[in-house]
Amino acid sequence: QVQLVESGGGSVQTGGSLRLSCVASKYTSCMGWFRQAPGKEREGVASIYNGGGSTNYADSVKGRFTISQDNGRSTLYLQMQSLKPEDTATYYCAATGFFCGSLDYRRYIYWGQGTQVTVSS
C-alpha cells in the first residue's frame, strides 16, 4: 500500500505558476500526475520513472510543466508555468508498480485525494 497526499494547488491568473507536491508513504519509482476537469475524463499530465531519469509529458503541457521526484523524501513535484485557463482541474498524483511511464490513468493503482488548480483569464 502507498498513501499519497497532494498539496500546492490554488488560484492563479493566466501566465502564472504553481508547484504541486505529493508526499508518498514510501518511495515509488513509477509515478505520475493526472488531472480531471468537471465533466471530462481524467487525463495524464506527466509521468516519471527509472529513478527520475525518465519522464513523459502530455502534448498539452510540454515545455510548460516539469515533473520531478525527490527520492530521499519520497516526494513528487509538478512545476507548472505559463498556466492557461484550460489547465483548470483537480490534479492527482498516482503510483503504480507496472507500466511505468504511462499516461493512462487506468494503469495506476494508488491515488491521492487531489488538489484544485484554478487558472483565471
Side-chain angles (χ1 to χ4, degrees):
Q1 284 282 355
V2 180
Q3 283 77 46
L4 304 170
V5 180
E6 303 100 332
S7 62
S11 297
V12 296
Q13 293 187 328
T14 297
S17 300
L18 282 173
R19 188 176 81 157
L20 306 182
S21 299
C22 172
V23 178
S25 59
K26 61 181 180 181
Y27 172 71
T28 306
S29 62
C30 307
M31 299 189 73
W33 285 100
F34 297 79
R35 65 187 182 188
Q36 188 167 20
K40 294 189 177 181
E41 188 177 15
R42 189 168 297 190
E43 64 173 349
V45 175
S47 62
I48 191 167
Y49 57 109
N50 287 341
S54 299
T55 56
N56 193 19
Y57 294 93
D59 288 343
S60 59
V61 306
K62 280 181 182 176
R64 300 189 299 122
F65 291 10
T66 302
I67 188 171
S68 61
Q69 190 174 25
D70 182 339
N71 294 344
R73 299 181 180 179
S74 299
T75 302
L76 183 71
Y77 300 101
L78 184 68
Q79 179 67 48
M80 305 186 293
Q81 299 177 320
S82 302
L83 284 161
K84 305 174 182 179
E86 50 264 44
D87 294 318
T88 295
T90 299
Y91 283 71
Y92 300 88
C93 72
T96 182
F98 308 95
F99 305 109
C100 294
S102 175
L103 292 179
D104 185 345
Y105 70 90
R106 293 166 293 186
R107 300 191 182 279
Y108 284 75
I109 301 171
Y110 305 105
W111 291 86
Q113 81 288 350
T115 185
Q116 178 67 35
V117 172
T118 303
V119 185
S120 58
S121 57

